Amino acid sequence: MLSNDGEEAMQAAKSMSTEQSAQQPKVALLARGERAGHEDPQPLAVSTRKHSVPLARTALMQRFNRSFPPFYSQFVSSEVQAQNLRLAYALYQTRKAVVQMRDERSKTVVCLAYRNRPSLLSDLFGVLTAFNLSVHGIHLYGQIYSPHLVFIRVTVSRDGHSLSAQTKLNLERAIHECLAGVFPVHETLALEFDLKAGLKDTQVSFYFDPVFHLPTLLVDVDNQPGVFYRVMTALAQEELTVVHLNLMLRRKQTRFIFYLLGPDATPTLPEFLGQKLALSIQQRLQGDPV
């Protein structure tokens, strides 16, 4: 259950849905399915400014944002913040992972909202790899405090085109089944890729980011089939939870910058332990025994 945080997400999302339905009727996505006994929050104050945001919505958004790293409310657009809050509301309603997809030009954006855990990225990218999809970009925003939700947007394509309607349905089903432990994605990929083979020229380093104030792993690895799944699995094997991710795609190499929570789910990690984890992950990716 999402407890008080879920209640706040529900109320804020309903407030935004009501406001948006007046301005853009097609955007009111969350007005349906509200639970009996919950009324729309009343604004705490009335502003005379045109197009002003009700104070109730602003206060709830601020409370929701406090579970994220400090940079989230400063650098993430208000549109993305609002979308994540709506996804949190959908997660609160369904009590299962929320998977949504939309096409953007010749690509498809896959959105996932769920409780964060070390194996989440390995599961997600295992499914994307099994579907033979190309990854063009990732946005990931994870909470560093309870309830530790994470919101992921991955831009993908197949053979240079967005996904067909049937592929989207199959992909959504596979993601749910993988998260539930029903779809054995590792066994499926092992038939196509040599997952034990080393990745050449892999470099992994650890530092504490002075801007984001989070433990950080920098991973440089050569591009080859299955590389996203290999990297995410190496992190999962070290029980590392990712709360933010920067991805730099080059022609022959990919750079991942992972912002992490420590083993005790706190935004701290001792330097000696971070260096040890970096070495262990590098050895895993190079195919050396750990």
Side-chain angles (χ1 to χ4, degrees), residues 73-216:
S73 57
Q74 299 174 12
F75 302 117
V76 178
S77 70
S78 58
E79 179 182 357
V80 170
Q81 292 180 32
Q83 184 180 14
N84 288 343
L85 189 54
R86 288 192 290 269
L87 289 171
Y89 174 47
L91 179 58
Y92 171 80
Q93 283 190 307
T94 62
R95 301 300 197 272
K96 66 178 183 180
V98 177
V99 181
Q100 299 177 354
M101 302 184 201
R102 67 176 184 273
D103 291 339
E104 291 186 355
R105 299 179 181 178
S106 60
K107 301 177 179 63
T108 297
V109 177
V110 181
C111 297
L112 170 66
Y114 200 42
R115 282 190 178 275
N116 211 348
R117 63 190 190 194
S119 62
L120 182 62
L121 288 177
S122 177
D123 290 340
L124 174 61
F125 281 90
V127 174
L128 298 180
T129 302
F131 273 69
N132 194 30
L133 303 181
S134 299
V135 176
H136 303 280
I138 307 171
H139 293 88
L140 185 152
Y141 307 104
Q143 296 177 332
I144 60 175
Y145 303 115
S146 180
H148 292 290
L149 305 183
V150 65
F151 305 88
I152 306 171
R153 292 170 180 79
V154 187
T155 304
V156 299
S157 67
R158 175 183 280 176
D159 299 327
H161 302 284
S162 58
L163 308 185
S164 67
Q166 187 59 51
T167 299
K168 291 175 186 174
L169 290 174
N170 294 339
L171 179 61
E172 180 178 355
R173 184 182 305 111
I175 291 173
H176 282 294
E177 290 179 351
C178 189
L179 294 177
V182 178
F183 176 30
V185 66
H186 186 82
E187 288 80 354
T188 301
L189 293 177
L191 299 175
E192 185 174 356
F193 305 107
D194 183 2
L195 298 178
K196 296 182 179 179
L199 302 178
K200 297 180 180 179
D201 299 326
T202 298
Q203 295 293 326
V204 183
S205 58
F206 170 84
Y207 62 95
F208 192 86
D209 191 277
V211 177
F212 286 3
H213 304 289
L214 287 169
T216 306

Side-chain angles (χ1 to χ4, degrees), residues 117-119 232-242 260-265 277 281 284:
R117 63 190 190 194
S119 62
M232 304 308 179
T233 300
L235 266 69
Q237 290 171 329
E238 298 293 344
E239 294 294 318
L240 295 175
T241 302
V242 179
L260 311 165
L261 292 182
D264 54 354
L277 288 171
I281 291 171
R284 289 184 187 278

Side-chain angles (χ1 to χ4, degrees), residues 27-39:
V27 183
L29 303 178
L30 298 175
R32 294 169 288 182
E34 58 186 276
R35 311 178 88 193
H38 291 274
E39 300 179 354

